[in-house]
Amino acid sequence: MTIGKPQLGVVMDPIPGINPAKDSTLAMLLEAQRRGYALWYFEQHDLRLRNGVAEGSARALRVADSKADWFELGPREERSLSTLDVILMRKDPPFGTEYIYTTYLLERAELTGVLVVNKPQSLRDMNEKVYTAWFPQCCPETVITRSMEDMRAFLAEHGRIVVKPLHGMGGRSIFVLRQGDNNANVVFETLTDYGQQYAMAQTFIPEINRGDKRIILVDGKPVSRVLARIPAADDNRGNLVAGAQPEVRELTERDAWICAQVGPVLRERGVLFAGLDVIGDYLTEINVTSPTGIRELQKLGGLDVAATFFDTLDARLAQRTDPRLRRA
């Protein structure tokens, strides 16, 4: 850990375009600043590898809890990422080839001793929808396939299903289909690109009308309350950006059991901040790229998740006693 003020880099979407009242990355940065971290701002295009060394065009960042003026950026400074103590990788999906390349670059920084959250290899390995397959005991009946015939058979077997792409976020391109729906074939054609790409189908969970629950895990352990996102009356999607309404609830026994199944695996694989999506009694997604919900949990439930997260980061950095992981 650097002697003096700890150095934190954040890789995120353009900060002028965020919604400061709802943005979880901003909540993290506000907490880091409060604790005395120096903040450095990057977008993906600011990063590069030179002769195997991860570098970037950084800008010093100041943040404020304001709806009008929530950030201030300094001039660009060229620096090695190895001069940072921690990097938050908070770039939103879609998870494409450029995202994968960015994780390789961040892994080069990680090898010099920088704490990258979440771990770059795990970001590559854990597709937010596919990785639920590692926990089938927690999930509804699911098929991931490129075959339109498989999709049709799954619909015929279950009568009502949810179909979605593997790379989306925010409820984009999620369809609910019933047996006999004349739109089913075109949905299957669209999502699989006529059998050229994988998509997911799951049995429909009627408890969606009570909300899609976001459970935040910090270092593999759930925070004490969950954020339920209640779909609008004319929609099946429990996503805030799709018009769902937030409600804070206590963890149920089933929620806690799911967390006990998933959390230790995420912790072992270097995922310090994750969001599980649970509908009824079933795990539907494991969000590791840029999970949200911090602002709503604080506003509606008085839960300071950012502080809990930085307690973990501070402890991790303090434990780095190996001289090879310290920079003067």
Side-chain angles (χ1 to χ4, degrees):
M1 186 171 176
T2 303
I3 296 173
K5 181 178 288 191
Q7 307 291 305
L8 181 146
V10 61
V11 182
M12 61 184 292
D13 290 296
I15 196 168
I18 69 172
N19 181 342
K22 293 182 175 293
D23 195 84
S24 291
T25 302
L26 180 60
M28 292 177 175
L29 295 173
L30 287 165
E31 180 64 19
Q33 183 174 272
R34 188 185 70 79
R35 294 184 182 219
Y37 282 77
L39 306 182
W40 298 94
Y41 169 84
F42 301 89
E43 295 176 30
Q44 276 185 290
H45 63 78
D46 294 321
L47 304 177
R48 62 178 173 271
L49 277 175
R50 188 189 300 273
N51 299 323
V53 176
E55 302 175 343
S57 181
R59 301 180 72 178
L61 172 65
R62 294 284 300 174
V63 289
D65 195 2
S66 166
K67 295 181 180 180
D69 299 301
W70 59 91
F71 73 98
E72 179 182 336
L73 292 172
R76 292 190 178 276
E77 298 183 25
E78 304 306 318
R79 61 187 299 160
S80 169
L81 299 190
S82 66
T83 63
L84 302 170
D85 292 294
V86 59
I87 298 174
L88 303 181
M89 177 50 169
R90 293 286 301 175
K91 172 70 179 69
D92 284 342
F95 188 99
T97 305
E98 291 304 307
Y99 193 107
I100 292 173
Y101 293 153
T102 302
T103 66
Y104 289 131
L105 192 152
L106 292 175
E107 194 165 20
R108 292 300 301 171
E110 182 183 47
L111 290 171
T112 70
V114 182
L115 176 61
V116 182
V117 181
N118 286 314
K119 187 175 180 65
Q121 181 179 349
S122 293
L123 289 175
R124 290 195 299 273
D125 290 349
M126 296 180 183
N127 176 277
E128 305 195 332
K129 297 177 177 64
V130 179
Y131 198 64
T132 58
W134 272 248
F135 307 95
Q137 72 275 23
C138 303
C139 301
E141 291 285 326
T142 302
V143 63
I144 297 172
T145 182
R146 290 168 45 152
S147 167
M148 293 180 284
E149 183 57 38
D150 286 348
M151 292 277 189
R152 284 190 285 269
F154 192 77
L155 176 57
E157 177 183 359
H158 295 287
R160 194 177 185 188
I161 64 173
V162 176
V163 188
K164 50 191 172 182
L166 299 181
H167 60 272
M169 64 169 288
R172 296 173 188 169
S173 301
I174 293 178
F175 298 88
V176 176
L177 298 172
R178 292 179 182 270
Q179 179 64 18
D181 191 326
N182 289 338
N183 290 310
N185 285 332
V186 71
V187 169
F188 300 151
E189 291 165 0
T190 300
L191 290 183
T192 67
D193 191 19
Y194 292 88
Q196 299 304 304
Q197 63 187 25
Y198 284 99
M200 169 183 277
Q202 293 179 318
T203 52
F204 178 78
I205 306 168
E207 288 83 1
I208 183 62
N209 62 7
R210 296 173 52 198
D212 184 345
K213 294 178 286 188
R214 166 60 54 84
I215 305 174
I216 298 293
L217 300 184
V218 177
D219 204 15
K221 297 179 180 179
V223 300
S224 60
R225 296 180 181 177
V226 307
L227 179 68
R229 298 158 295 178
I230 316 298
D234 60 351
D235 206 323
N236 287 302
R237 295 172 297 173
N239 303 88
L240 299 181
V241 296
Q245 294 301 306
E247 178 182 302
V248 173
R249 298 178 186 163
E250 301 297 323
L251 282 166
T252 67
E253 288 188 11
R254 174 71 177 187
D255 294 338
W257 179 81
I258 291 173
C259 293
Q261 301 294 303
V262 179
V265 178
L266 297 187
R267 186 180 191 277
E268 180 180 347
R269 300 198 59 179
V271 176
L272 299 189
F273 193 84
L276 307 186
D277 287 351
V278 174
I279 302 174
D281 289 335
Y282 297 101
L283 174 70
T284 60
E285 293 190 17
I286 301 173
N287 297 275
V288 299
T289 50
S290 57
T292 61
I294 288 181
R295 293 294 229 179
E296 289 81 7
L297 283 168
Q298 185 164 34
K299 180 180 178 181
L300 302 176
L303 199 62
D304 195 342
V305 178
T308 301
F309 175 56
F310 270 90
D311 286 345
T312 297
L313 284 189
D314 287 346
R316 286 292 183 100
L317 293 175
Q319 290 169 0
R320 295 192 156 203
T321 57
D322 187 332
R324 293 170 299 173
L325 301 182
R326 288 184 174 270
R327 295 172 293 283

